[in-house]
Amino acid sequence: MSHSMPPIAPGPAHNVPDLESRAAPEDHQDLRLWLRMLTCCNLIESELRSRLRTEYETTLPRFDLMAQLLRVPGGMKMSELSRHMMVTNGNITGITDQLEKEGLVERVKVASDRRSSLIRLTTKGKRIFRKMAQSHEEWVRAMLGGLSEKSRNNLFEALGELKLLAQPQLSGRN
Amino acid sequence: MSHSMPPIAPGPAHNVPDLESRAAPEDHQDLRLWLRMLTCCNLIESELRSRLRTEYETTLPRFDLMAQLLRVPGGMKMSELSRHMMVTNGNITGITDQLEKEGLVERVKVASDRRSSLIRLTTKGKRIFRKMAQSHEEWVRAMLGGLSEKSRNNLFEALGELKLLAQPQLSGRN
DNA sequence: TATTGTTATACTCTATAACTATA
DNA sequence: TATAGTTATAGAGTATAACAATA
């Protein structure tokens, strides 16, 4: 997009119908705020999903799992991955299976606890992930980069506040 | 939650591992901002999905479709719904089929264009949706309500700006 | 020819739950 | 008993594509 793709349906940059357009005048501010945030996230997320699929034949969860691993050269336990990615253990097994089959990650047995293994990126996995991550970051920049400095800061601060509010609400999932 | 459910794993309200925790110091601000926004959205969205499922045996897309319809008593064409909800036509057909089977919406043939029909809420659908919507709004308030007035306003403004930036990037999907 | 809606299909992601092997 | 990971299953959600009817 920003780097090359012309918008197919340029249209007006305002008033595109979306989830928020269902909000009624009498709806409370929190609801409108949520619909607006959801719309933004969905726009960006579906763009990223689509790009990952068409340009790298991968998916967001697979990308996320590899992203988690990149920072921890020694690898992570599946239960750790499960916590970070906020999905259940079985799902981590499935995604890991796929990535392992393609030689992007490997399971490494550890002596200290014979039940668990460490998952880590292979050399090939690192190489490929770095390329994907660079593209990914460009896509994100293309979508967020137009924000004013003030909005960017405000957004970051407010979302930080929100994350703290929303997290403790969550029940454990594993 | 806020209204009754105690957090199962209270834990510290800070430093809970999530998607953002993969961000490296050298990562650009836009990427961190995106990860933070994604985490917030996922937290809230999965809470809403889970509530809709356990308390009303429904799903977010079904809820969204009914929400779109509530404001338009005359009904909407499926292609309109498809645009607003940003999913393909076939998916709208599927969701509509389910809702129609449960008597919550109905297809109404129109004379002007015999290819299309209008989808609208039935009386039962309106009644049930109003209840769900009220709960939904309470859940959202419980999660966003703790934000300071300033953050709420900043967030709303900044997301409005972002929505305009992100929308024109999108290619048409139908 | 283009559009509306339907159908069929395939795939990813997810939660749940039962299971094993360790701890 | 509790934990780490696996397996099986079922369902949600989505995209794609072929299709019929109509515009």
Side-chain angles (χ1 to χ4, degrees), chain A:
Chain A
M1 12 232 6
S2 84
H3 20 296
S4 67
M5 236 173 74
I8 290 181
H14 47 281
N15 214 18
V16 176
D18 59 35
L19 288 178
E20 192 186 343
S21 48
R22 83 170 185 235
E26 70 274 17
D27 279 336
H28 292 82
Q29 204 194 2
D30 285 331
L31 185 56
R32 298 188 71 109
L33 176 54
W34 164 240
L35 291 176
R36 183 169 283 194
M37 181 155 58
L38 183 58
T39 299
C40 283
C41 266
N42 285 346
L43 281 168
I44 295 172
E45 195 174 336
S46 65
E47 180 62 28
L48 293 177
R49 277 185 204 279
S50 151
R51 291 259 169 181
L52 282 174
R53 195 180 61 246
T54 58
E55 301 191 16
Y56 291 101
E57 287 179 337
T58 193
T59 65
L60 206 43
R62 289 173 49 144
F63 179 83
D64 285 340
L65 194 152
M66 294 178 77
Q68 295 287 343
L69 294 181
L70 185 68
R71 302 217 48 223
V72 193
M76 286 172 81
K77 295 204 306 179
M78 310 198 78
S79 45
E80 278 182 276
L81 283 168
S82 167
R83 261 197 310 282
H84 281 250
M85 295 178 62
M86 302 188 226
V87 296
T88 54
N89 248 328
N91 297 321
I92 298 293
T93 297
I95 298 173
T96 301
D97 286 347
Q98 294 174 25
L99 293 173
E100 193 173 35
K101 205 177 300 174
E102 298 178 26
L104 300 173
V105 308
E106 57 190 351
R107 285 171 163 90
V108 184
K109 281 288 170 198
V110 289
S112 61
D113 184 341
R114 279 157 52 200
R115 289 171 305 179
S116 65
S117 47
L118 288 171
I119 314 302
R120 65 182 187 200
L121 291 175
T122 61
T123 305
K124 178 185 173 192
K126 276 181 208 153
R127 178 168 46 77
I128 292 184
F129 178 74
R130 286 213 178 87
K131 264 199 282 186
M132 292 195 299
Q134 196 179 337
S135 298
H136 177 267
E137 190 163 344
E138 277 168 25
W139 303 331
V140 169
R141 239 195 337 259
M143 288 185 281
L144 299 190
L147 279 176
S148 67
E149 190 62 22
K150 183 163 150 288
S151 289
R152 197 197 319 271
N153 289 333
N154 284 342
L155 204 48
F156 195 73
E157 286 309 309
L159 289 172
E161 196 181 326
L162 180 54
K163 212 167 75 165
L164 294 186
L165 289 171
Q167 270 169 352
Q169 310 261 1
L170 267 200
S171 357
R173 274 167 206 247
N174 298 307

Side-chain angles (χ1 to χ4, degrees), chain B residues 6-90:
Chain B
I8 292 180
H14 48 280
N15 215 18
V16 176
D18 60 34
L19 289 180
E20 192 186 343
S21 48
R22 81 170 187 236
E26 70 274 17
D27 278 336
H28 292 84
Q29 204 194 2
D30 284 332
L31 185 56
R32 298 187 71 109
L33 177 54
W34 163 239
L35 291 175
R36 183 169 285 195
M37 181 155 58
L38 183 57
T39 299
C40 283
C41 266
N42 285 346
L43 281 168
I44 296 172
E45 196 175 335
S46 65
E47 180 63 28
L48 294 177
R49 278 185 203 278
S50 150
R51 291 258 167 184
L52 283 174
R53 194 180 62 246
T54 58
E55 301 190 15
Y56 291 102
E57 286 179 340
T58 193
T59 65
L60 205 45
R62 290 173 49 143
F63 180 84
D64 285 339
L65 195 151
M66 294 179 77
Q68 295 287 343
L69 293 181
L70 185 70
R71 303 217 46 224
V72 193
M76 286 173 81
K77 294 204 306 178
M78 310 197 77
S79 45
E80 278 183 276
L81 284 167
S82 166
R83 262 196 309 283
H84 281 251
M85 295 178 62
M86 302 190 225
V87 297
T88 54
N89 248 327

Side-chain angles (χ1 to χ4, degrees), chain B residues 78-79 90 93 107 115-117:
Chain B
M78 310 197 77
S79 45
T93 298
R107 286 170 162 90
R115 287 172 307 180
S116 63
S117 48

